[in-house]
Amino acid sequence: MRKIGILGGTFDPPHIGHLLIAEEVRRAKLLDEIWFIPTNTPPHKEHTTTSAGHRTSMLKLAIRNHPSFKLNDIELKREGKSYTYDTIHELTKLYPSDEFYFIIGGDMVEFLPKWYRIDELIEIITFVGVSRPGYSLETTYSVHFVDIPTIHLSSTMLRERLQKREWIRYLLSNSVMQYVREHQLYGFGRN
């Protein structure tokens, strides 16, 4: 039986915060792999700025040098909103002998009571919560907490900085930054 961590998100762009969370949870929970699952249409956001193709390419670059980090495009293949319940239900059918750990930040811990089919979901996977500045980790749901180094970093902040041509060195991997530059994403590189 493999122990698989799931880290979902828009990854628009994928940054060092995502990698830090994945590695810290992998080590703390002795997970075999971390599967990064980019969302197609997140239920709690209006839209993503960047196409699924670009987000997937950047994510592949970001995780390519880690043997336990994998990309899973299950949500990109499905049309409509990407609900965690649907994804986990499908994964447990595809991989019945694996045990899944769904990694969420403090912002999502607070939001758990509003998740689609949360009472059923909490029965089939283990939630792993990590701290995020400005959010509480208190919940009535069963969540395993992992204490990780925290940095105040979000994809939204990075997109805004890129649009303004502000400093982002060390916040994105070099390969992702080069991809952003080459494809002129987020307004970066345009005249």
Side-chain angles (χ1 to χ4, degrees), residues 8-71:
T10 55
F11 301 111
D12 192 18
H15 54 71
I16 62 157
H18 297 127
L19 303 177
L20 175 70
I21 289 167
E23 180 62 8
E24 291 294 314
V25 171
R26 186 190 69 80
R27 291 180 68 235
K29 291 298 188 183
L30 304 174
L31 303 179
D32 297 298
E33 294 179 353
I34 300 289
W35 292 358
F36 290 76
I37 301 182
T39 60
N40 187 13
T41 307
H44 60 283
K45 293 184 180 180
E46 289 295 314
H47 59 84
T48 57
T49 321
T50 312
S51 72
H54 282 311
R55 292 184 294 119
T56 300
S57 293
M58 288 187 289
L59 192 51
K60 285 178 182 176
L61 289 169
I63 67 173
R64 72 180 173 189
N65 293 323
H66 196 299
S68 298
F69 289 179
K70 312 291 182 203
L71 175 93

Side-chain angles (χ1 to χ4, degrees), residues 95-165:
Y95 308 97
S97 62
D98 292 337
E99 187 176 349
F100 293 100
Y101 294 75
F102 198 82
I103 305 164
I104 56 175
D107 55 334
M108 289 292 110
V109 171
E110 288 184 2
F111 197 68
L112 279 177
K114 297 178 182 173
W115 278 37
Y116 176 68
R117 298 178 80 166
I118 184 61
D119 293 326
E120 295 166 71
L121 188 58
I122 205 82
E123 297 296 322
I124 57 176
I125 60 167
T126 301
F127 277 96
V128 179
V130 297
S131 58
R132 188 163 180 183
Y135 295 95
S136 166
L137 293 178
E138 293 182 24
T139 182
T140 57
Y141 291 98
S142 176
V143 176
H144 297 228
F145 293 102
V146 173
D147 189 28
I148 66 167
T150 58
I151 54 174
H152 187 66
L153 183 60
S154 71
S155 294
T156 301
M157 188 229 349
L158 290 175
R159 288 192 305 270
E160 290 170 358
R161 282 190 176 190
L162 286 163
Q163 288 169 350
K164 296 175 187 175
R165 291 185 162 82

